[in-house]
Amino acid sequence: MTKENLYRNPLNRDFFERKTEEVARQLLGCILVREVENSLLSGRIVEVEAYLPDGDPAAHAFIGQTLRNKVLFGQAGFSYVFRIHGQNCLNVVAEPEGIPGCVLIRALEPVGGIDLMRNNRKRRVEREEELTNGPGKLCQSLRIDLNLNGVDLTYPGSPLIVCGSDGADIGVVVTRRVGITKAADEQLRFTIKGNRFVSK
DNA sequence: CTTACGATTCCC
DNA sequence: GGAATCGTAAGG
């Protein structure tokens, strides 16, 4: 399969309809592809965090369904985009319908459209790592905002999809989640070992 | 309507 | 170390 076709061939919904932690691990190495104005911006997922559907005080679903988080309670394989501290964050919905687990995409290794990513950033970016080594940064670089909340990431025609891993052998490191105050001790952050695009 | 609050980023 | 940032939820 050519590279071009590979990046337009998203994962099936079955992939996402599993335990949140399992989806988080398996997402490492997968390619996030954003289509904007006939251009493709893409990156390999190198850092994620799981937010569990039950008894996880740090999860947005913990307080029950609201207008903001309702997509979490729907089908797996959809995007959940929210804004915090003036920045956007991208999540992928996991688990069968009605069970509100999700995976936060925290960092990417840029694959395609790197010049465009630089243009999309508000600040001038020198090092390539700074383009996508944080949840807010990668959303800026890929132009992901609240308009992309609730997008079907498994539909080939979507402006945002997730494609399969290239199959490269990776080591996975598990740590505590970062940047949160509640349930911060849970070992729910997964990163690709040694990858330089993992956030600091 | 008002207010408090972050799953962040950037600058000093 | 601290300011900027802004949509959301909850309370008056």
Side-chain angles (χ1 to χ4, degrees):
Chain A
M1 195 183 300
T2 68
K3 209 178 207 186
E4 182 71 10
N5 287 331
L6 179 70
Y7 293 164
R8 291 180 183 279
N9 187 18
L11 292 164
N12 301 318
R13 196 164 318 281
D14 290 344
F15 177 94
F16 301 99
E17 280 180 349
R18 296 185 282 174
K19 292 285 183 198
T20 308
E21 291 169 80
E22 177 68 10
V23 175
R25 276 180 184 273
Q26 296 300 322
L27 237 21
L28 290 177
C30 291
I31 310 291
L32 182 69
V33 182
R34 166 85 167 112
E35 181 171 16
V36 50
E37 293 163 9
N38 287 328
S39 296
L40 292 185
L41 302 169
S42 56
R44 186 162 165 260
I45 298 170
V46 301
E47 174 181 355
V48 296
E49 280 178 358
Y51 286 86
L52 307 182
D54 297 303
D56 182 359
H60 283 184
F62 188 72
I63 59 173
Q65 186 171 340
T66 65
L67 199 55
R68 170 163 81 155
N69 69 19
K70 66 179 178 187
V71 62
L72 292 177
F73 294 79
Q75 265 195 316
F78 280 74
S79 63
Y80 170 52
V81 180
F82 67 91
R83 208 161 158 81
I84 190 155
H85 291 291
Q87 308 287 327
N88 299 310
C89 289
L90 170 68
N91 291 252
V92 174
V93 178
E95 309 267 357
E97 187 163 2
I99 304 179
C102 68
V103 178
L104 171 68
I105 310 300
R106 286 195 56 90
L108 302 174
E109 175 177 339
V111 170
I114 297 177
D115 292 339
L116 242 45
M117 291 185 195
R118 277 207 162 79
N119 288 336
N120 291 337
R121 293 299 298 277
K122 294 206 179 289
R123 318 285 161 196
R124 171 153 197 83
V125 174
E126 301 293 339
R127 298 163 54 243
E128 194 173 309
E129 290 92 324
E130 296 169 23
L131 238 26
T132 50
N133 66 349
K137 295 179 192 174
L138 72 89
C139 282
Q140 266 188 49
S141 290
L142 299 202
R143 280 206 230 173
I144 295 168
D145 59 21
L146 293 178
N147 292 322
L148 268 68
N149 184 39
V151 166
D152 187 352
L153 303 172
T154 72
Y155 173 62
S158 290
L160 188 64
I161 58 175
V162 179
C163 300
S165 160
D166 56 16
D169 224 17
I170 58 169
V172 176
V173 178
V174 186
T175 69
R176 309 156 46 107
R177 292 181 293 191
V178 298
I180 56 174
T181 53
K182 299 173 226 165
D185 48 330
E186 298 275 359
Q187 303 287 300
L188 291 173
R189 174 172 174 258
F190 305 91
T191 61
I192 291 184
K193 185 175 184 178
N195 189 283
R196 77 182 213 267
F197 293 89
V198 169
S199 72
K200 295 300 181 293

